[in-house]
Amino acid sequence: MAEFARGFRLTLPDGTELDGAQFPNGMVVTCDREAGLRTAAISLGNLLDGADDVSVQWAPTTEEV
């Protein structure tokens, strides 16, 4: 079965929420719903390096039947 991107939401300390996706190779992108594409990084760790009080909420995983 092919791997797909996994969605997540970042909540920044000021309450801003960014939608994001992590690809099977570990690369991540985030997007502000109003401003458009925001950031790309080689990993979630790199994206969050030095960031304090950022919460990550992962999208639920589903299984096909």
Side-chain angles (χ1 to χ4, degrees):
M1 176 178 199
E3 293 185 54
F4 293 93
R6 182 175 180 199
F8 62 88
R9 178 162 295 139
L10 296 179
T11 303
L12 306 180
D14 67 0
T16 301
E17 291 183 332
L18 303 175
D19 295 326
Q22 182 178 45
F23 295 95
N25 66 359
M27 186 167 199
V28 295
V29 294
T30 63
C31 178
D32 182 297
R33 290 177 223 148
E34 294 182 22
L37 182 63
R38 185 74 167 231
T39 306
I42 61 171
S43 71
L44 188 59
N46 281 35
L47 179 69
L48 299 178
D49 189 29
D52 294 325
D53 299 322
V54 174
S55 73
V56 180
Q57 178 184 7
W58 290 98
T61 57
T62 59
E63 293 185 25
E64 290 185 37
V65 228

